[in-house]
Amino acid sequence: MVKVKTSDLKKAVEQSLISNDYSKVSLTTDGNTLKIGSFNYESFYEEYANGDYCNVYENYLSISVDVVEKDSDLETLVLRDDLLNTINSIKSEYVSLFIQKDKTKYFEYAYYLIINDGKKDYHLPAQNPDLVKSFVDKRLVQKDIENGVKIKTKVLIDAIDKVIYATHDGNYFLVRKTIGLIFKDNKLFLAGTSENRTAVYDLKAKSSYRSKKYGIVKLNGRGGITKTAALTIKKVFSSSEYILLDIVNEGEYIVAIFKSGNIMLTTKIIKEDVYPDVFETINSLNNKHTIQAKLPKNTIIDTLKHIILVETERRKKYANQKVLYHISQKENICVTLLFSNNNLNIKGTVFDKGVDVDIEYIGNAIENEYVVDLDALDLIKTLSNIHTDKIIITFSPEDKLPAYISSTDSKYSVVIKPHYVEKAKKSMEAV
C-alpha cells in the first residue's frame, strides 16, 4: 500500500504526456517517492541505401510525488484517462494505492490498481508488473541526475522559440527537423537548420558543471532533439525557474536529461555524430563575406509588411478567377534590397521607387551597388526573432552564397539563403 496526497497525484497525472487515445502512465515507488511516468513521441522516415525506415523517438516524463505512508512497493501501468477521471471524482485529501491480483477463467491472473479514498475502493485494470519495468527501462529513465548544466527556464524556452522556425517541415531530412544542442567553447548553443536557413542562439550558459562524484564535468559535441521534445520542455517546465541539463551515455544511445524539482524529461539525442557543424559553415562564410551593414530592425519589418500588403492586394485585383487567386496566394512574395552608399532601398515588384532606409556600413562603404533578393515572409520571421533594436546583415557579392543576419550583441544569428545577389545594373533601373 502506498499513500499519497490526492492533489499531488492529480497534478502529476494532469501534467503527464499524451501519445494517443490509449496513453498510459506508470506508477512506481522509489524510496519515499512515487514516480508517475508517461511518454510522447515523434516518428521520422529515414533514407538508407537499402530502403526507407520509420524510426520512432520517444520522450519520457517522470514526475515524483512524496509518499505519506508505505508498507509495500508499487509498480503498475494504467490508462491515463481512466486514472485521471477516477482521481477527479475523489474528494478526500489522501488516497491509498495497491495492486490486486485475481484469478480469471481465461487468463492465469488479472491485475487491478485499487485506489482507496478512506471510504470506497476504485478498481482500474492494470498490466502485469513485469511489463512496467520494460515500459520504464525501455525509455531510458532509470537514471536520475543531481547535477547538470544550469539554465534559466525562460532563457531556454526563448531560445527554442527563436530557432524552431528555422527547422525543416517535411517528412525526410531527420537532422534538419531537430533542435541542435551544441556545446562549444564552454558555452551552450541551440540551433535550427534546414535547406534555406540556419538559426543559432547563444544561451550564455556554461557547458560544464561541478559534480560531487566526478568533479568538473564538461559537455562537448553536438546533437539534436526532436521538435516534440522541445515543445514538451516548454510545456512541462514553464513554471520552473531553472532547468538542469545533462548528457548521459546509455551504451547504444546517448540521452539528454532535463530536470527541475520533481520533474525529469529524458529524450534520445538524434545522430549526434552527424549533426551539421553550423559554426564551421558560419566561419567559412565570414571569410567570403565582404559587405556588412547595420540596419534598424523595426523599420525594415514595417516596410516589409507594407510591401506584402500592397503585393497581396495587387494579386487579388488581377485574379479574375477563384482558382487563379488561390494559386497566386501560394506564391512567395519576394523583395529586392538595393545596397548603396549609406542607403538601403527595399522594393517589391509593384513599387516603382521602393522605400529608402538609412543604414550604417561596418567598415568601408561599398564601391558598387548590390541587389539581394529575399523572401519577404522569411525575412520578417528572421528579424522578428532578433531581440536587439538593430541588426547586422553580412553578405558576399558572389551569387548563391547565403547572407548572414545577427543581433548586435552576437547572441542570435541566422544564415539565410537569398534567391540571388548581384551588382545593381539593369535589374534595378526603375529605382
Side-chain angles (χ1 to χ4, degrees):
M1 183 275 296
V2 176
K3 187 176 182 179
V4 296
K5 200 169 184 178
T6 307
S7 58
D8 290 347
L9 181 60
K10 178 182 176 181
K11 183 178 179 181
V13 178
E14 286 175 338
Q15 289 178 287
S16 63
L17 304 180
I18 301 172
S19 56
N20 51 46
D21 293 338
Y22 300 98
S23 297
K24 297 175 182 177
V25 293
S26 61
L27 304 174
T28 56
T29 49
D30 183 8
N32 291 322
T33 62
L34 175 66
K35 292 186 175 181
I36 294 87
S38 58
F39 75 98
N40 61 12
Y41 61 89
E42 189 168 356
S43 58
F44 297 98
Y45 285 98
E46 299 184 58
E47 294 181 284
Y48 297 94
N50 58 344
D52 298 348
Y53 297 90
C54 180
N55 289 324
V56 177
Y57 294 86
E58 293 179 338
N59 311 296
Y60 188 89
L61 177 67
S62 176
I63 302 177
S64 299
V65 300
D66 292 332
V67 171
V68 177
E69 184 182 335
K70 182 181 77 169
D71 59 20
S72 62
D73 285 321
L74 181 68
E75 198 168 48
T76 189
L77 190 67
V78 295
L79 290 175
R80 177 188 184 276
D81 289 347
D82 288 352
L83 179 58
L84 188 58
N85 290 336
T86 301
I87 298 171
N88 283 333
S89 67
I90 294 175
K91 306 301 181 183
S92 61
E93 185 177 0
Y94 298 96
V95 290
S96 298
L97 313 171
F98 59 93
I99 296 297
Q100 179 175 304
K101 184 170 69 172
D102 296 335
K103 285 190 174 183
T104 66
K105 181 178 179 180
Y106 300 103
F107 301 98
E108 185 177 359
Y109 292 107
Y111 294 87
Y112 297 93
L113 171 66
I114 309 300
I115 305 176
N116 180 273
D117 63 357
K119 297 179 180 180
K120 179 181 177 182
D121 284 346
Y122 299 84
H123 292 66
L124 296 181
Q127 288 191 316
N128 187 318
D130 292 337
L131 297 176
V132 181
K133 190 175 188 307
S134 173
F135 177 87
V136 174
D137 289 351
K138 177 184 175 184
R139 289 161 179 85
L140 308 171
V141 292
Q142 58 270 40
K143 283 195 174 183
D144 199 345
I145 59 171
E146 295 181 357
N147 307 102
V149 172
K150 191 175 182 179
I151 313 167
K152 284 186 176 181
T153 306
K154 184 179 182 301
V155 171
L156 179 59
I157 291 176
D158 186 46
I160 290 172
D161 288 336
K162 288 185 182 302
V163 303
I164 199 169
Y165 91 99
T167 56
H168 181 74
D169 290 326
N171 289 330
Y172 290 92
F173 303 111
L174 171 59
V175 172
R176 295 176 182 174
K177 287 172 64 69
T178 61
I179 304 297
L181 299 176
I182 303 172
F183 302 100
K184 181 179 174 63
D185 300 329
N186 200 29
K187 290 195 293 186
L188 171 61
F189 300 84
L190 256 60
T193 184
S194 59
E195 300 95 323
N196 296 322
R197 55 185 176 259
T198 296
V200 182
Y201 189 87
D202 182 356
L203 277 77
K204 302 295 182 183
K206 289 184 178 181
S207 61
S208 60
Y209 64 88
R210 182 179 294 277
S211 166
K212 293 180 181 178
K213 185 176 181 180
Y214 301 106
I216 299 296
V217 178
K218 292 185 177 181
L219 302 182
N220 297 297
R222 60 186 184 273
I225 62 173
T226 67
K227 289 183 181 180
T228 298
L231 295 175
T232 299
I233 290 169
K234 290 182 58 178
K235 171 190 172 185
V236 301
F237 294 111
S238 59
S239 61
S240 62
E241 186 177 0
Y242 287 95
I243 293 176
L244 293 181
L245 164 63
D246 200 6
I247 306 297
V248 178
N249 193 330
E250 288 289 340
E252 183 182 355
Y253 304 107
I254 295 179
V255 299
I257 300 178
F258 298 86
K259 183 179 179 181
S260 181
N262 65 328
I263 302 175
M264 186 175 73
L265 177 72
T266 306
T267 185
K268 184 171 66 175
I269 291 180
I270 300 172
K271 294 190 174 183
E272 60 278 1
D273 295 332
V274 297
Y275 191 85
D277 191 340
V278 296
F279 285 103
E280 182 180 350
T281 302
I282 291 172
N283 291 335
S284 65
L285 290 174
N286 285 338
N287 296 329
K288 297 177 180 178
H289 284 183
T290 57
I291 303 170
Q292 191 174 54
K294 187 183 292 186
L295 317 176
K297 180 188 69 175
N298 292 329
T299 301
I300 303 296
I301 292 175
D302 291 342
T303 302
L304 292 171
K305 288 181 178 178
H306 178 62
I307 289 175
I308 290 173
L309 179 63
V310 174
E311 292 283 337
T312 302
E313 291 301 317
R314 177 175 177 267
R315 291 181 183 190
K316 289 180 181 179
K317 180 178 179 180
Y318 290 101
N320 296 321
Q321 299 179 23
K322 289 184 179 180
V323 174
L324 291 177
Y325 170 63
H326 179 68
I327 294 173
S328 69
Q329 287 297 94
K330 290 186 176 181
E331 296 176 357
N332 291 333
I333 296 178
C334 296
V335 290
T336 53
L337 279 62
L338 173 65
F339 288 86
S340 58
N341 192 12
N342 293 324
N343 185 73
L344 169 65
N345 184 275
I346 306 177
K347 180 177 182 293
T349 57
V350 73
F351 287 102
D352 291 329
K353 293 185 177 181
V355 177
D356 288 322
V357 177
D358 290 333
I359 63 175
E360 175 189 345
Y361 283 99
I362 300 174
N364 297 326
I366 61 174
E367 296 179 359
N368 299 297
E369 294 184 339
Y370 291 95
V371 175
V372 180
D373 186 84
L374 291 164
D375 182 281
L377 289 173
D378 197 30
L379 187 54
I380 287 176
K381 287 181 182 178
T382 298
L383 298 182
S384 297
N385 280 312
I386 295 179
H387 55 281
T388 53
D389 293 333
K390 291 193 174 183
I391 58 102
I392 297 174
I393 183 169
T394 309
F395 65 94
S396 169
E398 297 180 37
D399 191 14
K400 298 182 180 179
L401 281 179
Y404 183 58
I405 301 174
S406 64
S407 58
T408 51
D409 62 0
S410 302
K411 191 174 181 179
Y412 180 70
S413 57
V414 177
V415 177
I416 187 169
K417 186 178 180 181
H419 296 136
Y420 64 80
V421 177
E422 64 182 20
K423 285 185 180 181
K425 292 181 180 178
K426 295 182 180 179
S427 60
M428 294 292 286
E429 284 180 351
V431 179

